[in-house]
Amino acid sequence: MAKVDIDTTAPKPSSNDLHWLLGSLTLVMAMHVSHLALWVSLLIAGFGGWRYLVDKKAWGLPKLVILIPITIAATIGIAVTYHGLFGRDASVALLALMLALKLMETYTRRDYIVVIFIAYFLTINTFLFSQTLPVGAFMLLPILALTSTLIGVHHYSHAYGWRFKTKLAGSIIAQALPIMIVFFILFPRMPGPLWSVPRDANSGMSGLSDSMEPGSINKLSLSGATAFRVEFQENPPAQKQLYWRGPVLSYYDGRTWRINRQTYIPETLETTGNPTNYTVTLEPHNRNWILMLDLPSSTPPDTQLSSDRQVLSKDPIRTRIRYSGSSYTSYKLADQLEDRQRKLLLQLPPKQNPKSRELAASWLESQDSPEKIVQNALSMFRNQPFIYTLSPPILGDNPVDDFIFNTKRGFCEHYASSFVFLMRAAGVPARVVTGYQGGELNPVNNYLIVRQSDAHAWAEVWLKDRGWVRVDPTAAVAPERIERNIAESVDDSEALSLMSRRDYPLLRKLYLNWDAANNGWNQWVLGYNQERQMQLLRYLTGDKLSWDDLVIALLVMAGIVLSVLCYFLLRGKRLKRDPIQNIYNDFLRKLAKSGLQRYDHEGPVDFSIRACRRLPQKSVQIEEITQAYTNLRYAKNFASIAAFKQLVNAF
Amino acid sequence: MRNVTDTIIAETSRIILGKEQQIKLALACILARGHLLIEDLPGMGKTTLSHTLAQVLGLKFSRVQFTSDLLPADILGISVYDRNTASFKFHPGPVFTNVLLADEINRATPKTQSSLLEVMEEGQVTLEGETRKLPQPFFVIATQNPTYHIGTFPLPESQLDRFLMRIQLGYPDAKSERALLQDNGGRNNVSKINPCIDANGLSGLQQAVRDIHISDALLDYLQALLDYTRTSGKFSAGLSPRAGLGLKQCAQAWALMHGRDFALPEDVQAILPGIAEHRLHPANRADAVADIGTHLLNAVAIP
């Protein structure tokens, strides 16, 4: 093992160094506090405070007899709190806690360096939890503090002030930036993540579920979180056509709608008109479907169409993904229905909601066509005092009856669910489709933001000769929900997420700009994958690059950046200094060509004597130039720079 | 003025043979109004050099042989009761002179050594509440044996810092040694040399030294040198601001002695070892550099 070259005779790090270290660690821990268990955070703070007092009151560090039991107890505590020692949360908590414990035996310079490097690693771990722009920006702070601490620990012969340390640390980080950018752009990217992120990394993601019961979408509507963002290649379709198809729910147990797991012959599709092409950046939601505009005509790679035209991915979406899609807004889906499929689509739990069944039966008795039945139901919603609200009353054992005949207050899932119930009761095949409706066009970069609050449920009915037809009963009750957005369709007094509201125009504008910045970050930094790398390089070079080319390009670029940096670091200051020095440097360069190099510590006269001895034939010129130089640089009289320059040029 | 300094050097070289460089350094130190410490083994000509310098410069000088029982009063003077006038009368000590030759200064006790402190710094003596000015110019030339010799009290750092320059003489080369043996130099001939200048002349030279131009570029170099001694971690303590001032003044003196009205980096380099070496101590033994002056010169680039 390589011996670490640390000056053992150097003094121990000072109290000032310790304060810097504790301060930096506070910043590092601040990045983790939101996902550490409370007792872990408190314990870490306790160790920090203890170490501070040890220094201040000269208590002496605790002995191993005390530390070992604490370490074991802390490890057990973490194992109990996080149900094991593995996985993201437990590992990071363990690392943070052990780092704090390490403080209790941090005394020598070497200990400090170890702690600082572990702290760097802990800082990077923040990215396992969040990779947003603010987190990335805030992370610079602990990095700066840690680097300053490291500088302080190394410069033991002189107590530098915080200004010097942070300035040096800042310039070190700034010097690293160009290299970082080159590596970011050119370092060959692997398809998919390098290592698999632990499973618990995906807990707490919100999104649609594979079932629907009264209140489930209602809950989502309160969240301002972004579900996905869409860039359209052409003009976006009208707001009322923006139905983003998600899970299709065909199975009803009397309360909950569920995905049908059986497969049928894929439904046929005839399309008319031009497709709408777009690119979606989907936030992770930990389910294995992706959202596409109704109705998708093709599927992105690694996905497949279910028989009811839902787009399923192979694996749950655990990272932000980007895919392009193509959809038709006018289409004819499913010419024919299979018998067992028709049976499923008419399936209802027996003996529930008698009043609704009666109503449906009355429509059937009057021998109305299916189209007429659909109209009957819609006009019922439209004409009777139904209200669209975020806070519907709780429904009893016969939820559809309760809703249609009593409360008449509901959210989209109430309307979709009762509508499909009525259709099935009247013998019209129908199903519930969940997804998102609408979205907000961000004028900053002209893309569509679709939030969790845009979650929606609607119905599809199958009509002979027309195939599946989308019917949105909510639109009958609250047309503005579909034509504009949710904030327009509910009372101002209703609890709606801040981001969906329209009350504060300035805030709104700020928010839209912020979302555009985030979108850029997601697209270009987080979403910079192998595909995008190849795309960019192809754009830059006009050619498809192989891995070999990429490695060569990386090395060349890194080399260029390093040489530029070296040039500025080694020569920049001197070149900038003053014109006399520049001219003299020219002279030195000319002499260097004859193999005569001035030492940095060699005075001009000494050098001239040496130079004359080496180049006697030029001694007159050399002496003249040296004379002019020393006169200009060291004497009081103001000699002419021009003459000096001439001499050097003539040399 | 170069003529004057050249003459002084030439005249002194008639006594101290083959040591022109050391003579020039000593003269530069005196022109920079500093005190000079000559350190070497016994019998190398330390006392002769100081003697000769005083003589050549045409100054009044007193010589005090420092011994372990020497008391401050022996140097500064003492008040004695005069029965005729019924009052105390001050009898000035040997310090009331232009040049004080403190021979073998490190044989005296620290008490006596430190009685020289005020004298060297302020050019005045305060005894029994009364302050008496010393004649101008005044400077101390001290000689000492290397500190590892028996019976020495090493000068404290505070006192060392008051000596602007420390020089070492070293053995003469063969030619000089032969001349010395032929009685063409050495102590016996000190009385034969003529003063080349007087006290007023010396003051004039000292004033001229102050007018030598130091450019900003050279100040950058001086500061780089000082900064290196303080921040490189090679030395237990860096050079003091007093040493920095002395560095500048000696460089000016060196420039004057070479007939220039401005100082060059080479001037600084010439006098730096004499000023730095007795003030700097390596920070740790393992890392000790054999030759502090050369190390310093090579380590710091000329800006």
PDB file of all heavy atoms in Angstrom, chain B residues 23-54:
ATOM      1  N   ILE B  23      34.464  42.397   3.434  1.00  0.00           N
ATOM      2  CA  ILE B  23      34.663  43.814   3.728  1.00  0.00           C
ATOM      3  C   ILE B  23      33.543  44.646   3.120  1.00  0.00           C
ATOM      4  O   ILE B  23      32.983  45.548   3.735  1.00  0.00           O
ATOM      5  CB  ILE B  23      36.050  44.274   3.208  1.00  0.00           C
ATOM      6  CG1 ILE B  23      37.152  43.568   3.997  1.00  0.00           C
ATOM      7  CG2 ILE B  23      36.200  45.779   3.310  1.00  0.00           C
ATOM      8  CD1 ILE B  23      38.527  43.702   3.380  1.00  0.00           C
ATOM      9  N   LYS B  24      33.172  44.286   1.883  1.00  0.00           N
ATOM     10  CA  LYS B  24      32.111  45.028   1.225  1.00  0.00           C
ATOM     11  C   LYS B  24      30.795  44.862   1.974  1.00  0.00           C
ATOM     12  O   LYS B  24      30.029  45.819   2.149  1.00  0.00           O
ATOM     13  CB  LYS B  24      31.949  44.535  -0.229  1.00  0.00           C
ATOM     14  CG  LYS B  24      32.997  45.093  -1.170  1.00  0.00           C
ATOM     15  CD  LYS B  24      33.005  44.367  -2.494  1.00  0.00           C
ATOM     16  CE  LYS B  24      31.883  44.817  -3.398  1.00  0.00           C
ATOM     17  NZ  LYS B  24      31.998  44.182  -4.734  1.00  0.00           N
ATOM     18  N   LEU B  25      30.508  43.634   2.412  1.00  0.00           N
ATOM     19  CA  LEU B  25      29.263  43.409   3.160  1.00  0.00           C
ATOM     20  C   LEU B  25      29.262  44.241   4.434  1.00  0.00           C
ATOM     21  O   LEU B  25      28.264  44.870   4.792  1.00  0.00           O
ATOM     22  CB  LEU B  25      29.112  41.922   3.500  1.00  0.00           C
ATOM     23  CG  LEU B  25      28.640  41.024   2.353  1.00  0.00           C
ATOM     24  CD1 LEU B  25      28.736  39.564   2.763  1.00  0.00           C
ATOM     25  CD2 LEU B  25      27.225  41.375   1.961  1.00  0.00           C
ATOM     26  N   ALA B  26      30.422  44.237   5.144  1.00  0.00           N
ATOM     27  CA  ALA B  26      30.505  44.996   6.387  1.00  0.00           C
ATOM     28  C   ALA B  26      30.265  46.475   6.118  1.00  0.00           C
ATOM     29  O   ALA B  26      29.517  47.149   6.840  1.00  0.00           O
ATOM     30  CB  ALA B  26      31.869  44.784   7.031  1.00  0.00           C
ATOM     31  N   LEU B  27      30.853  46.964   5.025  1.00  0.00           N
ATOM     32  CA  LEU B  27      30.691  48.377   4.698  1.00  0.00           C
ATOM     33  C   LEU B  27      29.227  48.689   4.351  1.00  0.00           C
ATOM     34  O   LEU B  27      28.664  49.697   4.786  1.00  0.00           O
ATOM     35  CB  LEU B  27      31.618  48.751   3.535  1.00  0.00           C
ATOM     36  CG  LEU B  27      31.578  50.217   3.130  1.00  0.00           C
ATOM     37  CD1 LEU B  27      32.018  51.101   4.311  1.00  0.00           C
ATOM     38  CD2 LEU B  27      32.486  50.490   1.927  1.00  0.00           C
ATOM     39  N   ALA B  28      28.624  47.773   3.582  1.00  0.00           N
ATOM     40  CA  ALA B  28      27.217  47.972   3.225  1.00  0.00           C
ATOM     41  C   ALA B  28      26.368  48.056   4.479  1.00  0.00           C
ATOM     42  O   ALA B  28      25.468  48.891   4.597  1.00  0.00           O
ATOM     43  CB  ALA B  28      26.725  46.833   2.335  1.00  0.00           C
ATOM     44  N   CYS B  29      26.684  47.214   5.435  1.00  0.00           N
ATOM     45  CA  CYS B  29      25.932  47.201   6.685  1.00  0.00           C
ATOM     46  C   CYS B  29      26.065  48.529   7.409  1.00  0.00           C
ATOM     47  O   CYS B  29      25.098  49.101   7.898  1.00  0.00           O
ATOM     48  CB  CYS B  29      26.440  46.040   7.544  1.00  0.00           C
ATOM     49  SG  CYS B  29      25.751  45.997   9.184  1.00  0.00           S
ATOM     50  N   ILE B  30      27.285  49.045   7.419  1.00  0.00           N
ATOM     51  CA  ILE B  30      27.521  50.313   8.110  1.00  0.00           C
ATOM     52  C   ILE B  30      26.823  51.462   7.376  1.00  0.00           C
ATOM     53  O   ILE B  30      26.193  52.324   7.979  1.00  0.00           O
ATOM     54  CB  ILE B  30      29.035  50.567   8.238  1.00  0.00           C
ATOM     55  CG1 ILE B  30      29.625  49.556   9.225  1.00  0.00           C
ATOM     56  CG2 ILE B  30      29.327  51.996   8.678  1.00  0.00           C
ATOM     57  CD1 ILE B  30      31.135  49.440   9.132  1.00  0.00           C
ATOM     58  N   LEU B  31      26.895  51.421   6.030  1.00  0.00           N
ATOM     59  CA  LEU B  31      26.245  52.483   5.253  1.00  0.00           C
ATOM     60  C   LEU B  31      24.730  52.438   5.428  1.00  0.00           C
ATOM     61  O   LEU B  31      24.055  53.457   5.314  1.00  0.00           O
ATOM     62  CB  LEU B  31      26.599  52.338   3.766  1.00  0.00           C
ATOM     63  CG  LEU B  31      28.062  52.638   3.413  1.00  0.00           C
ATOM     64  CD1 LEU B  31      28.289  52.470   1.912  1.00  0.00           C
ATOM     65  CD2 LEU B  31      28.442  54.045   3.845  1.00  0.00           C
ATOM     66  N   ALA B  32      24.202  51.251   5.703  1.00  0.00           N
ATOM     67  CA  ALA B  32      22.764  51.121   5.918  1.00  0.00           C
ATOM     68  C   ALA B  32      22.399  51.422   7.361  1.00  0.00           C
ATOM     69  O   ALA B  32      21.282  51.142   7.796  1.00  0.00           O
ATOM     70  CB  ALA B  32      22.297  49.720   5.530  1.00  0.00           C
ATOM     71  N   ARG B  33      23.346  51.974   8.130  1.00  0.00           N
ATOM     72  CA  ARG B  33      23.159  52.325   9.538  1.00  0.00           C
ATOM     73  C   ARG B  33      22.796  51.108  10.382  1.00  0.00           C
ATOM     74  O   ARG B  33      21.966  51.192  11.290  1.00  0.00           O
ATOM     75  CB  ARG B  33      22.052  53.372   9.718  1.00  0.00           C
ATOM     76  CG  ARG B  33      22.310  54.662   8.993  1.00  0.00           C
ATOM     77  CD  ARG B  33      21.078  55.540   9.101  1.00  0.00           C
ATOM     78  NE  ARG B  33      21.080  56.535   8.039  1.00  0.00           N
ATOM     79  CZ  ARG B  33      21.158  57.838   8.260  1.00  0.00           C
ATOM     80  NH1 ARG B  33      21.201  58.307   9.475  1.00  0.00           N
ATOM     81  NH2 ARG B  33      21.174  58.683   7.254  1.00  0.00           N
ATOM     82  N   GLY B  34      23.412  49.983  10.061  1.00  0.00           N
ATOM     83  CA  GLY B  34      23.118  48.794  10.844  1.00  0.00           C
ATOM     84  C   GLY B  34      24.296  48.411  11.715  1.00  0.00           C
ATOM     85  O   GLY B  34      25.396  48.948  11.572  1.00  0.00           O
ATOM     86  N   HIS B  35      23.994  47.517  12.653  1.00  0.00           N
ATOM     87  CA  HIS B  35      25.057  46.980  13.491  1.00  0.00           C
ATOM     88  C   HIS B  35      25.528  45.676  12.895  1.00  0.00           C
ATOM     89  O   HIS B  35      24.751  44.933  12.299  1.00  0.00           O
ATOM     90  CB  HIS B  35      24.532  46.761  14.910  1.00  0.00           C
ATOM     91  CG  HIS B  35      23.943  48.003  15.493  1.00  0.00           C
ATOM     92  ND1 HIS B  35      24.703  49.074  15.897  1.00  0.00           N
ATOM     93  CD2 HIS B  35      22.653  48.365  15.709  1.00  0.00           C
ATOM     94  CE1 HIS B  35      23.918  50.039  16.353  1.00  0.00           C
ATOM     95  NE2 HIS B  35      22.649  49.630  16.240  1.00  0.00           N
ATOM     96  N   LEU B  36      26.808  45.412  13.103  1.00  0.00           N
ATOM     97  CA  LEU B  36      27.412  44.276  12.408  1.00  0.00           C
ATOM     98  C   LEU B  36      27.864  43.230  13.413  1.00  0.00           C
ATOM     99  O   LEU B  36      28.399  43.562  14.472  1.00  0.00           O
ATOM    100  CB  LEU B  36      28.616  44.784  11.605  1.00  0.00           C
ATOM    101  CG  LEU B  36      29.410  43.753  10.820  1.00  0.00           C
ATOM    102  CD1 LEU B  36      28.566  43.177   9.692  1.00  0.00           C
ATOM    103  CD2 LEU B  36      30.673  44.398  10.248  1.00  0.00           C
ATOM    104  N   LEU B  37      27.578  41.989  13.068  1.00  0.00           N
ATOM    105  CA  LEU B  37      28.039  40.881  13.918  1.00  0.00           C
ATOM    106  C   LEU B  37      28.992  40.042  13.081  1.00  0.00           C
ATOM    107  O   LEU B  37      28.650  39.618  11.984  1.00  0.00           O
ATOM    108  CB  LEU B  37      26.834  40.043  14.364  1.00  0.00           C
ATOM    109  CG  LEU B  37      27.104  38.833  15.250  1.00  0.00           C
ATOM    110  CD1 LEU B  37      27.703  39.282  16.587  1.00  0.00           C
ATOM    111  CD2 LEU B  37      25.821  38.054  15.497  1.00  0.00           C
ATOM    112  N   ILE B  38      30.206  39.856  13.608  1.00  0.00           N
ATOM    113  CA  ILE B  38      31.170  39.019  12.898  1.00  0.00           C
ATOM    114  C   ILE B  38      31.340  37.748  13.700  1.00  0.00           C
ATOM    115  O   ILE B  38      31.686  37.803  14.880  1.00  0.00           O
ATOM    116  CB  ILE B  38      32.526  39.736  12.744  1.00  0.00           C
ATOM    117  CG1 ILE B  38      32.321  41.122  12.126  1.00  0.00           C
ATOM    118  CG2 ILE B  38      33.476  38.928  11.875  1.00  0.00           C
ATOM    119  CD1 ILE B  38      33.594  41.966  12.093  1.00  0.00           C
ATOM    120  N   GLU B  39      31.061  36.640  13.061  1.00  0.00           N
ATOM    121  CA  GLU B  39      31.119  35.383  13.814  1.00  0.00           C
ATOM    122  C   GLU B  39      32.133  34.457  13.173  1.00  0.00           C
ATOM    123  O   GLU B  39      32.085  34.214  11.970  1.00  0.00           O
ATOM    124  CB  GLU B  39      29.743  34.716  13.809  1.00  0.00           C
ATOM    125  CG  GLU B  39      29.738  33.375  14.539  1.00  0.00           C
ATOM    126  CD  GLU B  39      28.402  32.667  14.433  1.00  0.00           C
ATOM    127  OE1 GLU B  39      27.439  33.145  15.048  1.00  0.00           O
ATOM    128  OE2 GLU B  39      28.323  31.658  13.728  1.00  0.00           O
ATOM    129  N   ASP B  40      33.061  34.004  13.965  1.00  0.00           N
ATOM    130  CA  ASP B  40      33.969  32.984  13.451  1.00  0.00           C
ATOM    131  C   ASP B  40      34.797  32.404  14.581  1.00  0.00           C
ATOM    132  O   ASP B  40      34.668  32.810  15.734  1.00  0.00           O
ATOM    133  CB  ASP B  40      34.887  33.556  12.357  1.00  0.00           C
ATOM    134  CG  ASP B  40      35.082  32.533  11.241  1.00  0.00           C
ATOM    135  OD1 ASP B  40      35.211  31.334  11.555  1.00  0.00           O
ATOM    136  OD2 ASP B  40      35.085  32.947  10.068  1.00  0.00           O
ATOM    137  N   LEU B  41      35.607  31.466  14.210  1.00  0.00           N
ATOM    138  CA  LEU B  41      36.484  30.848  15.194  1.00  0.00           C
ATOM    139  C   LEU B  41      37.505  31.868  15.682  1.00  0.00           C
ATOM    140  O   LEU B  41      37.733  32.886  15.032  1.00  0.00           O
ATOM    141  CB  LEU B  41      37.204  29.667  14.537  1.00  0.00           C
ATOM    142  CG  LEU B  41      36.281  28.588  13.998  1.00  0.00           C
ATOM    143  CD1 LEU B  41      37.052  27.626  13.106  1.00  0.00           C
ATOM    144  CD2 LEU B  41      35.644  27.844  15.166  1.00  0.00           C
ATOM    145  N   PRO B  42      38.117  31.601  16.828  1.00  0.00           N
ATOM    146  CA  PRO B  42      39.152  32.535  17.317  1.00  0.00           C
ATOM    147  C   PRO B  42      40.316  32.612  16.335  1.00  0.00           C
ATOM    148  O   PRO B  42      40.645  31.640  15.670  1.00  0.00           O
ATOM    149  CB  PRO B  42      39.597  31.905  18.637  1.00  0.00           C
ATOM    150  CG  PRO B  42      38.512  30.950  19.021  1.00  0.00           C
ATOM    151  CD  PRO B  42      37.871  30.497  17.747  1.00  0.00           C
ATOM    152  N   GLY B  43      40.872  33.817  16.248  1.00  0.00           N
ATOM    153  CA  GLY B  43      42.081  33.999  15.455  1.00  0.00           C
ATOM    154  C   GLY B  43      41.858  34.140  13.980  1.00  0.00           C
ATOM    155  O   GLY B  43      42.778  34.030  13.177  1.00  0.00           O
ATOM    156  N   MET B  44      40.640  34.401  13.538  1.00  0.00           N
ATOM    157  CA  MET B  44      40.374  34.521  12.108  1.00  0.00           C
ATOM    158  C   MET B  44      40.461  35.966  11.637  1.00  0.00           C
ATOM    159  O   MET B  44      40.283  36.241  10.458  1.00  0.00           O
ATOM    160  CB  MET B  44      38.992  33.963  11.773  1.00  0.00           C
ATOM    161  CG  MET B  44      38.806  32.527  12.216  1.00  0.00           C
ATOM    162  SD  MET B  44      39.873  31.400  11.336  1.00  0.00           S
ATOM    163  CE  MET B  44      38.861  31.010   9.946  1.00  0.00           C
ATOM    164  N   GLY B  45      40.652  36.908  12.576  1.00  0.00           N
ATOM    165  CA  GLY B  45      40.792  38.301  12.168  1.00  0.00           C
ATOM    166  C   GLY B  45      39.552  39.128  12.396  1.00  0.00           C
ATOM    167  O   GLY B  45      39.383  40.184  11.789  1.00  0.00           O
ATOM    168  N   LYS B  46      38.660  38.649  13.260  1.00  0.00           N
ATOM    169  CA  LYS B  46      37.433  39.401  13.525  1.00  0.00           C
ATOM    170  C   LYS B  46      37.751  40.766  14.122  1.00  0.00           C
ATOM    171  O   LYS B  46      37.286  41.797  13.644  1.00  0.00           O
ATOM    172  CB  LYS B  46      36.544  38.635  14.521  1.00  0.00           C
ATOM    173  CG  LYS B  46      36.137  37.247  14.079  1.00  0.00           C
ATOM    174  CD  LYS B  46      35.202  36.601  15.075  1.00  0.00           C
ATOM    175  CE  LYS B  46      35.838  36.322  16.428  1.00  0.00           C
ATOM    176  NZ  LYS B  46      36.787  35.188  16.404  1.00  0.00           N
ATOM    177  N   THR B  47      38.518  40.746  15.190  1.00  0.00           N
ATOM    178  CA  THR B  47      38.823  41.989  15.876  1.00  0.00           C
ATOM    179  C   THR B  47      39.599  42.931  14.976  1.00  0.00           C
ATOM    180  O   THR B  47      39.349  44.141  14.936  1.00  0.00           O
ATOM    181  CB  THR B  47      39.639  41.681  17.144  1.00  0.00           C
ATOM    182  OG1 THR B  47      39.022  40.583  17.799  1.00  0.00           O
ATOM    183  CG2 THR B  47      39.683  42.869  18.059  1.00  0.00           C
ATOM    184  N   THR B  48      40.515  42.363  14.208  1.00  0.00           N
ATOM    185  CA  THR B  48      41.317  43.193  13.312  1.00  0.00           C
ATOM    186  C   THR B  48      40.434  43.895  12.294  1.00  0.00           C
ATOM    187  O   THR B  48      40.612  45.077  11.999  1.00  0.00           O
ATOM    188  CB  THR B  48      42.348  42.310  12.580  1.00  0.00           C
ATOM    189  OG1 THR B  48      42.980  41.484  13.536  1.00  0.00           O
ATOM    190  CG2 THR B  48      43.372  43.157  11.859  1.00  0.00           C
ATOM    191  N   LEU B  49      39.440  43.152  11.755  1.00  0.00           N
ATOM    192  CA  LEU B  49      38.552  43.748  10.777  1.00  0.00           C
ATOM    193  C   LEU B  49      37.799  44.920  11.393  1.00  0.00           C
ATOM    194  O   LEU B  49      37.741  46.020  10.807  1.00  0.00           O
ATOM    195  CB  LEU B  49      37.554  42.703  10.243  1.00  0.00           C
ATOM    196  CG  LEU B  49      36.461  43.257   9.336  1.00  0.00           C
ATOM    197  CD1 LEU B  49      37.069  43.876   8.071  1.00  0.00           C
ATOM    198  CD2 LEU B  49      35.460  42.187   8.943  1.00  0.00           C
ATOM    199  N   SER B  50      37.244  44.722  12.602  1.00  0.00           N
ATOM    200  CA  SER B  50      36.480  45.813  13.204  1.00  0.00           C
ATOM    201  C   SER B  50      37.376  47.009  13.483  1.00  0.00           C
ATOM    202  O   SER B  50      37.007  48.167  13.225  1.00  0.00           O
ATOM    203  CB  SER B  50      35.784  45.354  14.479  1.00  0.00           C
ATOM    204  OG  SER B  50      36.252  44.114  14.894  1.00  0.00           O
ATOM    205  N   HIS B  51      38.530  46.702  14.006  1.00  0.00           N
ATOM    206  CA  HIS B  51      39.520  47.734  14.267  1.00  0.00           C
ATOM    207  C   HIS B  51      39.801  48.546  13.017  1.00  0.00           C
ATOM    208  O   HIS B  51      39.738  49.765  13.013  1.00  0.00           O
ATOM    209  CB  HIS B  51      40.834  47.050  14.682  1.00  0.00           C
ATOM    210  CG  HIS B  51      41.322  47.503  16.000  1.00  0.00           C
ATOM    211  ND1 HIS B  51      41.391  46.668  17.106  1.00  0.00           N
ATOM    212  CD2 HIS B  51      41.780  48.717  16.427  1.00  0.00           C
ATOM    213  CE1 HIS B  51      41.862  47.341  18.125  1.00  0.00           C
ATOM    214  NE2 HIS B  51      42.093  48.594  17.741  1.00  0.00           N
ATOM    215  N   THR B  52      40.113  47.825  11.967  1.00  0.00           N
ATOM    216  CA  THR B  52      40.504  48.458  10.716  1.00  0.00           C
ATOM    217  C   THR B  52      39.388  49.337  10.179  1.00  0.00           C
ATOM    218  O   THR B  52      39.614  50.458   9.718  1.00  0.00           O
ATOM    219  CB  THR B  52      40.860  47.381   9.674  1.00  0.00           C
ATOM    220  OG1 THR B  52      41.683  46.407  10.288  1.00  0.00           O
ATOM    221  CG2 THR B  52      41.573  47.989   8.482  1.00  0.00           C
ATOM    222  N   LEU B  53      38.152  48.807  10.239  1.00  0.00           N
ATOM    223  CA  LEU B  53      37.012  49.563   9.718  1.00  0.00           C
ATOM    224  C   LEU B  53      36.886  50.893  10.454  1.00  0.00           C
ATOM    225  O   LEU B  53      36.716  51.952   9.834  1.00  0.00           O
ATOM    226  CB  LEU B  53      35.724  48.755   9.866  1.00  0.00           C
ATOM    227  CG  LEU B  53      35.443  47.748   8.749  1.00  0.00           C
ATOM    228  CD1 LEU B  53      34.250  46.887   9.088  1.00  0.00           C
ATOM    229  CD2 LEU B  53      35.245  48.482   7.424  1.00  0.00           C
ATOM    230  N   ALA B  54      36.956  50.842  11.777  1.00  0.00           N
ATOM    231  CA  ALA B  54      36.846  52.073  12.552  1.00  0.00           C
ATOM    232  C   ALA B  54      37.931  53.055  12.152  1.00  0.00           C
ATOM    233  O   ALA B  54      37.679  54.253  11.958  1.00  0.00           O
ATOM    234  CB  ALA B  54      36.921  51.753  14.036  1.00  0.00           C
TER     235      ALA B  54
END
